[in-house]
Amino acid sequence: MKNLRPPRPGRLRRAREAAATGTAVAVAFLAAVGGLSAWTAAGYAGSPANIEVREARVLLPVMPGRNTNAYFHIVNTGGASDRLRSVSSSAASAPELTTHRMNAANGAYRERSGAVGIPAYGEVKMSPYGVAVTVRADTAWRSGERVTFTLDFQRSGTVTVDAVLRPVRLGSAP
């Protein structure tokens, strides 16, 4: 018959310590993988957002001093998305991000919108049929002049751009 002695207390303690160490390593590994996965899913992995404003224009209102719209062609050549949070200007009163809407009677109106997403390797072309920046026009504005705007992005910071003042032409896209 074999001698069945209980394990020595030192061996049992070492086995418990090894198991605890292995568990701690596994938990740290899973936390690191989870954190990196969340970081990547949030768009922070790869190349950062790289915002360019390729075109900027403001329509002169038919009645001077009324509200009008500014339109920007925003391109993101980076590998992470970004968001346009707000627009400001020292030359245009109360710029705000808006979006085109239709009511039940087919009447068009604008309503304030939240931040505008700019996808990675994508673009946003503002237009009268979608997102725009609504501003109060200055009565002294003339066609061909420029108005400076500062666009504030969540990741890219601020981008300052000069928008050309253009008259409204019936039957043509702005």
Side-chain angles (χ1 to χ4, degrees), residues 23-147:
T23 301
V25 169
V27 167
F29 172 78
L30 290 174
V33 168
L36 289 173
S37 295
W39 180 263
T40 301
Y44 291 106
S47 64
N50 184 33
I51 297 295
E52 299 173 15
V53 179
R54 296 199 174 153
E55 183 182 0
R57 63 196 187 284
V58 179
L59 297 181
L60 285 169
V62 175
M63 297 178 67
R66 297 294 188 130
N67 282 352
T68 189
N69 289 321
Y71 304 106
F72 302 95
H73 179 189
I74 304 167
V75 178
N76 182 357
T77 60
S81 62
D82 207 341
R83 295 172 59 79
L84 174 61
R85 296 187 294 196
S86 64
V87 178
S88 61
S89 174
S90 59
S93 297
E96 67 179 356
L97 290 166
T98 58
T99 190
H100 179 267
R101 297 280 187 230
M102 298 293 287
N103 63 23
N106 285 330
Y109 66 98
R110 289 222 165 260
E111 73 179 16
R112 186 178 304 184
S113 72
V116 177
I118 317 295
Y121 304 110
E123 65 184 6
V124 169
K125 276 189 165 184
M126 293 184 179
S127 77
Y129 314 106
V131 177
V133 175
T134 300
V135 298
R136 173 74 63 175
D138 188 313
T139 56
W141 285 355
R142 301 292 175 254
S143 182
E145 292 178 350
R146 295 181 179 272
V147 177

